[in-house]
Amino acid sequence: MPVPIIIDCDPGHDDALALMLAAADPAVDLLAITTVAGNQTLDKTTLNARRVCTLAGITDVPVAAGCDRPLVQPLAVAADVHGASGLDGPRFPPPTVDVVPEHAVDLIHRILREHPEPVTLVPTAPLTNIALLLTRYPDSASRIREIVLMGGSTERGNRTPAAEFNIHTDPEAAAIVLDSGVPVTMCGLNVTHQALATPEVLARFEALGTELGRTCAELLAYFGSAYHRLWGMPHPPLHDPVAVARVIDPTLVECVDATVSIELHGSHTRGATVVDLHHYLGRPVNARVAVSLDTERFWDRMVGAVEALGSRRA
Ligand code: BDR
Ligand code: CA
């Protein structure tokens, strides 16, 4: 039976491919797509989700907009990484997929209540919507099978030397999620940096010969130029699909139990994930932390998803 999931995202180049993977892979059943402010403002991330769904033919999944700013601090978008639109690079046709007239948090709560089995949440963005869900609707916790998120790192950050973007954008929300008691799996930079979109990967998307395959290659080319300019990396890491891959097939992403704390106060380290991999502090384990990726099988699954969506449209 496919695992029922909801993706909470801020497209975002890598979010776009996470949506495609989740929509096409038969191991998961994508129940809803919710958006939040992060890589760009909420109006832009929501428009981008609609653009991706339209191009990829994802027309049977509700899209709902959520929070337009972090819980406490002002929003600081990542235009340096994702461009002014949040999805710079390729041209997208005008979106025909619309948003539903329900706040993302209310939609997630309703689906959790109505679905016959517990649902897995896959946040690939700041955790604002998920934290609001857990505080506004405490009954949600028991209906969530697990939260498999992209964010944080066991090592260094990317938004600051210490903090990864999704956690740094809303650290209070991340702390609420990690302290909630809901099972959490954290797919951080230490593992997403194993999903590098090399020229060979781009060539595989191009070789599909579909508009969607070409768009993926263009998205990754834009993402690659940003990563090269900002961090001198030869190839960009495709962060967000790694969290989806962990749900699709847990053997793709190896995890270990650990204690994860969110730094809320450090003047240079706010938003850092402090990960006690070796249980040195003796505190209760509150997360599974991803430590390695089966890169070859990950790309096979990702390219296969784009192929399946592209041929559905042909
Ligand atoms: C995360 O930040 C965003 O820019 C990406 O979409 C990803 O979710 C990586 O740090
Ligand atoms: Ca994202």
Side-chain angles (χ1 to χ4, degrees):
M1 281 293 282
V3 179
I5 69 168
I6 296 173
I7 295 207
D8 186 62
C9 60
D10 61 343
H13 295 68
D14 50 338
D15 301 82
L17 275 89
L19 291 176
M20 295 176 207
L21 180 59
D25 199 292
V28 290
D29 179 13
L30 182 59
L31 302 178
I33 295 165
T34 54
T35 59
V36 68
N39 285 325
Q40 261 300 347
T41 53
L42 180 69
D43 55 339
K44 292 183 183 178
T45 59
T46 306
L47 174 63
N48 290 342
R50 296 172 54 216
R51 291 159 88 195
V52 170
C53 287
T54 302
L55 182 68
I58 307 168
T59 54
D60 52 352
V61 181
V63 179
C67 298
D68 65 0
R69 74 197 86 142
L71 294 182
V72 175
Q73 66 193 20
L75 175 67
V77 300
D80 53 345
V81 183
H82 297 274
S85 72
L87 208 50
D88 277 14
R91 271 173 182 275
F92 284 88
T96 51
V97 170
D98 226 331
V99 286
V100 297
E102 197 174 6
H103 191 282
V105 171
D106 296 326
L107 176 68
I108 299 173
H109 179 239
R110 188 167 57 74
I111 292 174
L112 290 174
R113 260 195 302 128
E114 290 174 359
H115 202 76
E117 51 184 306
V119 174
T120 296
L121 304 185
V122 186
T124 62
L127 290 159
T128 321
N129 286 343
I130 310 302
L132 192 61
L133 172 80
L134 292 168
T135 38
R136 179 161 182 183
Y137 299 116
D139 61 308
S140 292
S142 64
R143 302 293 307 152
I144 301 171
R145 177 164 147 174
E146 57 173 332
I147 297 172
V148 182
L149 64 90
M150 189 282 133
S153 178
T154 60
E155 297 155 6
R156 307 277 286 176
N158 58 1
R159 197 53 172 175
T160 72
E164 181 278 331
F165 176 81
N166 288 339
I167 307 297
H168 184 261
T169 300
D170 196 341
E172 280 75 18
I176 288 171
V177 170
L178 263 308
D179 292 345
S180 68
V182 175
V184 171
T185 297
M186 179 185 112
C187 300
L189 299 176
N190 55 294
V191 75
T192 65
H193 278 228
Q194 296 170 32
L196 296 173
T198 60
E200 292 72 37
V201 167
L202 268 66
R204 289 181 70 180
F205 284 114
E206 290 272 9
L208 295 176
T210 60
E211 191 188 357
L212 194 62
R214 270 189 302 280
T215 302
C216 287
E218 286 168 17
L219 283 169
L220 293 173
Y222 182 92
F223 209 39
S225 63
Y227 266 80
H228 189 256
R229 173 171 39 82
L230 295 168
W231 291 288
M233 287 178 66
H235 316 300
L238 193 66
H239 309 283
D240 294 339
V242 171
V244 180
R246 166 70 193 183
V247 184
I248 285 173
D249 178 353
T251 70
L252 290 171
V253 184
E254 187 196 342
C255 294
V256 297
D257 286 348
T259 309
V260 179
S261 313
I262 307 296
E263 175 57 71
L264 296 177
H265 305 293
S267 39
H268 304 289
T269 54
R270 184 168 148 81
T273 43
V274 181
V275 183
D276 185 8
L277 281 176
H278 304 288
H279 311 286
Y280 176 72
L281 298 173
R283 298 204 182 123
V285 163
N286 64 345
R288 284 192 202 108
V289 174
V291 290
S292 80
L293 176 72
D294 187 330
T295 306
E296 204 173 309
R297 285 170 58 228
F298 166 78
W299 283 117
D300 286 348
R301 209 88 188 204
M302 185 66 247
V303 175
V306 174
E307 183 174 23
L309 287 171
S311 57
R312 258 189 233 168
R313 288 188 68 70

